[in-house]
């Protein structure tokens, strides 16, 4: 018994030592990075970034139009592929049915990723010119081009919003048991309720892995935001924007864990 307690105490101490060493390594790494940054030619890097932003800013309408057309082509090809696979599901044997289901979900996942990526890319492009400071010094032609770019941006995001509705309706066409109104604020809950246990387990595991990944990503993004503020005076707003969802994800996860535990005690 004493040997077991001693072994547990030693193991506990080793954990603290390992964590302490890890913190020292991270601190030393941060210090070294800060020290090396004093020798970096931040002016050239900043000038390069500004030239890229200026290039995007001067071609907002063209870039938004081009990527909107690419997005529409890609998203429509996804819908077409899903329909083609879906029509083969009914008459498929068990093994073939499983393969087709996998292909159907894989195509749908590519579409969702493409949809989200298109939204983010369009926001980043528009953001280069969507600034009161920049708009004030624009000539009339530049303002008209920016306005036209905003219209394309709005149209693209309207299309992508409707695409998501079509995506859900297409799944419900081939899987009538899937319930939920895409326009409802409770759509995710309705959809989850209609899933079977195996699907729910997949969703839970994927959600937990996403939570773990984001908990690793948020600190890295916060450090990048701090370095940007140190080297290029980007301000602390980027750090604040990263910190809010970082805290929100931890609070939401812990709160839901406690809520679920409490429900079992009733």
């Amino acid at each position: 018994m004493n040997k077991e307690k001693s072994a547990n105490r030693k193991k506990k101490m080793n954990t603290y030592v390992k964590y302490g060493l890890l913190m020292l390594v991270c601190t030393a790494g941060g210090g070294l990075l800060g020290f090396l940054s004093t020798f970096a030619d931040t002016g050239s890097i900043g000038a390069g970034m500004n030239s890229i932003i200026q290039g995007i800013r001067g071609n907002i309408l063209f870039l938004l139009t081009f990527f909107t057309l690419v997005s529409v082509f890609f998203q429509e090809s996804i819908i077409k592929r899903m329909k083609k696979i879906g029509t083969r599901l009914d008459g498929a044997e068990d093994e073939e049915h499983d393969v087709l289901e996998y292909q159907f979900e894989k195509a749908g996942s590519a579409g969702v990723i493409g949809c989200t990526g298109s939204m983010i890319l369009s926001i980043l492009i528009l953001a280069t010119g969507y600034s009161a400071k920049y708009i004030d010094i624009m000539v009339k032609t530049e303002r008209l081009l920016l306005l036209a770019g905003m219209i394309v941006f709005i149209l693209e995001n309207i299309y992508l919003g409707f695409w998501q509705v079509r995506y859900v309706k297409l799944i419900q066409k081939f899987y009538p048991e899937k319930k939920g109104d895409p326009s409802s604020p409770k759509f995710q809950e309705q959809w989850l309720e209609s899933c079977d246990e195996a699907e729910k387990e997949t969703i839970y595991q994927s959600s937990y892995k996403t939570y773990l990944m984001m908990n690793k990503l948020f600190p890295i993004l916060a450090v990048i935001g701090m370095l940007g503020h140190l080297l290029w005076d980007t301000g602390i707003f980027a750090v604040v924007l990263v910190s809010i969802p970082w805290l929100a994800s931890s609070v939401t996860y812990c709160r839901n864990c406690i809520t679920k535990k409490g429900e079992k005690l009733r």
Side-chain angles (χ1 to χ4, degrees):
M1 189 71 175
N2 289 333
K3 287 182 179 180
E4 186 177 342
K5 286 183 178 180
S6 177
N8 288 336
R9 196 178 297 114
K10 187 176 180 181
K11 184 178 180 180
K12 186 177 180 181
M13 183 60 67
N14 287 339
T15 301
Y16 285 119
V17 170
K18 288 178 182 177
Y19 190 76
L21 290 173
L22 179 62
M23 293 299 292
L24 284 173
V25 170
C26 291
T27 303
L32 179 62
L33 189 60
F35 175 73
L36 292 175
S37 67
T38 60
F39 298 98
D41 189 359
T42 56
S44 297
I45 298 173
M49 292 173 64
N50 284 330
S51 65
I52 293 173
I53 292 174
Q54 291 284 353
I56 296 173
R57 185 182 292 163
N59 296 279
I60 284 179
L61 178 58
F62 169 75
L63 290 172
L64 284 174
T65 303
F66 174 75
F67 285 115
T68 296
L69 293 174
V70 171
S71 176
V72 170
F73 176 79
F74 177 76
Q75 300 302 135
E76 289 304 313
S77 66
I78 290 294
I79 290 291
K80 185 177 179 180
R81 176 165 174 74
M82 290 179 70
K83 285 180 178 178
K84 186 176 179 181
I85 296 172
T87 54
R88 296 169 57 194
L89 282 169
D90 282 341
E93 299 294 334
D94 290 344
E95 188 173 339
E96 185 187 6
H97 191 276
D98 291 341
V99 173
L100 290 172
E101 272 193 338
Y102 170 76
Q103 292 176 348
F104 186 84
E105 291 183 17
K106 186 178 179 181
S109 295
V112 171
I113 293 171
C115 183
T116 306
S118 297
M119 288 181 174
I120 293 171
L121 181 61
S122 64
I123 290 171
L124 291 175
I125 293 172
L126 185 63
T128 60
Y130 195 71
S131 166
K133 180 180 177 181
Y134 175 62
I135 293 173
D136 286 342
I137 62 173
M138 280 181 174
V139 297
K140 185 177 180 180
T141 305
E142 289 175 327
R143 289 181 180 176
L144 289 174
L145 289 173
L146 178 61
L147 179 61
M150 290 179 181
I151 293 172
V152 173
F153 170 82
I154 292 170
L155 291 174
E156 179 193 14
N157 281 274
I158 289 174
Y159 163 77
L160 292 173
F162 276 100
W163 183 92
Q164 292 180 61
V165 174
R166 291 167 62 203
Y167 166 72
V168 172
K169 293 295 185 182
L170 186 59
I171 294 175
Q172 291 174 334
K173 176 182 177 180
F174 296 110
Y175 297 92
E177 68 276 9
K178 294 290 189 294
K179 306 298 180 183
D181 179 4
S183 64
S184 171
K186 295 185 177 181
F187 167 70
Q188 300 293 348
E189 290 87 344
Q190 295 168 352
W191 186 271
L192 185 62
E193 282 295 320
S194 67
C195 293
D196 59 33
E197 291 305 314
E199 290 171 327
K200 287 180 180 179
E201 183 65 23
T202 300
I203 292 171
Y204 296 151
Q205 289 183 7
S206 300
S207 299
Y208 183 62
K209 287 184 178 180
T210 302
Y211 167 73
L212 294 178
M213 185 274 291
M214 295 307 296
N215 259 14
K216 294 175 182 176
L217 182 61
F218 283 136
I220 294 172
L221 293 177
V223 170
I224 292 174
M226 291 171 67
L227 287 173
H229 180 47
L230 171 68
L231 301 176
W232 299 292
D233 194 27
T234 55
I236 65 167
F237 194 53
V239 182
V240 172
L241 286 181
V242 171
S243 300
I244 291 172
W246 184 5
L247 176 62
S249 66
S250 294
V251 170
T252 303
Y253 175 77
C254 294
R255 180 175 173 273
N256 278 295
C257 285
I258 296 300
T259 301
K260 291 295 182 182
K261 291 278 185 181
E263 289 175 354
K264 292 181 179 179
L265 297 176
R266 294 174 188 174

